Amino acid sequence: MVMDGSGIGSSEKTCVRSITTILFDLDNTLIFTREADSATCATVASWLTNQGLPKEESRQITTGFLQKFREAPAPNYPTDVAGLDKWRLDIWASVLPEIYHQYIGDVYSLWKLERLNRLSLTPSVISMLEELASDFNLGLITNGPSVAQWEKINESGCHKFFDTVIVSGDLDVEKPNKCIYELACSELKVNPSECIMVGDKIETDIKGGMNAGVGATVWVNARNKSAPDDIQPDFTIVNVTKLPDILPTITAASQNEES
Ligand SMILES: [Mg+2]
């Protein structure tokens, strides 16, 4: 079956049951991790400049931090909060010239506070989740190290919106492995074909949803990227808050195919 969703992508599907469940990715889907990390480093750079560092040097220091921070080294990633703090402090120490090492503690405190503030759910995402929760089971499936992902989940307060929260770092599988979706479905007591998977990363979120045989995949494509030929999402939206707009189309399609 091919659906026309006025600019919304579509594809053929079979054996889809009524949609009962929505599975979400976390980073860059529900919270804007990429933007938060960049904006936080800009704030720290301004702070360093206010301490007397040249503007360009402040920018280079924080850019260097972000680069190393994003190279998170599995399998040696810290496993507890103290280890996580130490790993991040060590990165700041490696990018701050020694004459500025007096600032390491303050820089880290500022960075952590600013970043976690920015990783909160926006009011529009919160109201969407609250509304969806009255009609659907909601699940969160996130890839990443346990301690780092749980820090974001707990600080953003998003845990309370979900009937199950699954962090790949707590398991030996991650998206796009279908087993992580099957675990979520098992916890929610639903069949994958009853689920919609929503996420920003096509190679993991969407590919994984396809691997698991979910009822529909929804790609949050804020940057207007092209999908590879072998991974075609059923629907594409530019922001997760657009999901309710297309839900009637998705659920109607699944009911038609059920009959
Ligand atoms: Mg993501």
Side-chain angles (χ1 to χ4, degrees):
M1 182 191 121
V2 177
M3 292 174 290
D4 175 4
S6 13
I8 296 165
S10 61
S11 73
E12 292 203 2
K13 287 248 156 237
T14 54
C15 303
V16 183
R17 291 188 197 172
S18 294
I19 299 299
T20 62
T21 302
I22 306 177
L23 305 172
F24 286 94
D25 165 56
L26 177 64
D27 290 292
N28 303 308
T29 296
L30 293 173
I31 58 174
F32 301 99
T33 320
R34 192 186 306 109
E35 287 81 359
D37 283 336
S38 298
T40 300
C41 280
T43 300
V44 174
S46 295
W47 186 88
L48 288 171
T49 303
N50 287 339
Q51 310 313 307
L53 275 72
K55 200 170 178 178
E56 181 56 24
E57 188 173 6
S58 300
R59 197 192 62 78
Q60 284 173 356
I61 288 167
T62 54
T63 303
F65 171 83
L66 192 52
Q67 196 172 357
K68 291 189 174 184
F69 175 71
R70 285 177 170 162
E71 288 167 4
N76 298 320
Y77 203 85
T79 54
D80 58 23
V81 172
L84 188 65
D85 285 335
K86 183 184 182 308
W87 173 67
R88 292 162 171 176
L89 279 162
D90 287 347
I91 299 179
W92 279 116
S94 74
V95 295
L96 274 164
E98 216 157 315
I99 52 167
Y100 305 131
H101 273 203
Q102 69 212 31
Y103 297 129
I104 288 175
D106 287 341
V107 162
Y108 182 57
S109 299
L110 174 65
W111 174 86
K112 190 172 179 180
L113 181 70
E114 290 282 331
R115 178 172 188 259
L116 291 176
N117 280 342
R118 288 188 169 97
L119 289 176
S120 54
L121 297 172
T122 64
S124 55
V125 170
I126 289 173
S127 64
M128 178 192 74
L129 291 173
E130 285 173 342
E131 282 177 31
L132 292 176
S134 59
D135 292 325
F136 298 93
N137 305 307
L138 300 184
L140 186 70
I141 307 179
T142 176
N143 275 2
S146 177
V147 65
Q149 295 310 96
W150 279 109
E151 178 187 56
K152 286 180 277 194
I153 292 163
N154 291 330
E155 291 290 334
S156 67
C158 70
H159 195 288
K160 63 175 180 276
F161 297 105
F162 293 95
D163 302 297
T164 186
V165 174
I166 295 179
V167 176
S168 73
D170 294 327
L171 311 165
D172 56 3
V173 290
E174 61 180 16
K175 297 174 285 185
N177 189 316
K178 69 176 182 177
C179 293
I180 200 164
Y181 296 80
E182 288 168 352
L183 177 62
C185 289
S186 159
E187 291 196 357
L188 295 167
K189 299 184 173 54
V190 298
N191 189 293
S193 65
E194 297 169 54
C195 300
I196 299 169
M197 176 63 205
V198 184
D200 72 295
K201 201 162 183 183
I202 200 153
E203 301 84 358
T204 52
D205 300 316
I206 304 306
K207 176 75 174 165
M210 292 164 65
N211 289 343
V214 298
T217 54
V218 178
W219 186 27
V220 180
N221 183 15
R223 296 176 157 195
N224 198 26
K225 292 183 186 168
S226 298
D229 290 342
D230 60 333
I231 313 175
Q232 291 294 316
D234 297 307
F235 296 86
T236 301
I237 51 181
V238 294
N239 185 296
V240 73
T241 56
K242 302 291 181 193
L243 179 65
D245 297 345
I246 61 168
L247 278 178
T249 311
I250 300 176
T251 51
S254 71
Q255 279 159 8
N256 287 342
E257 288 174 12
E258 196 182 15
S259 61

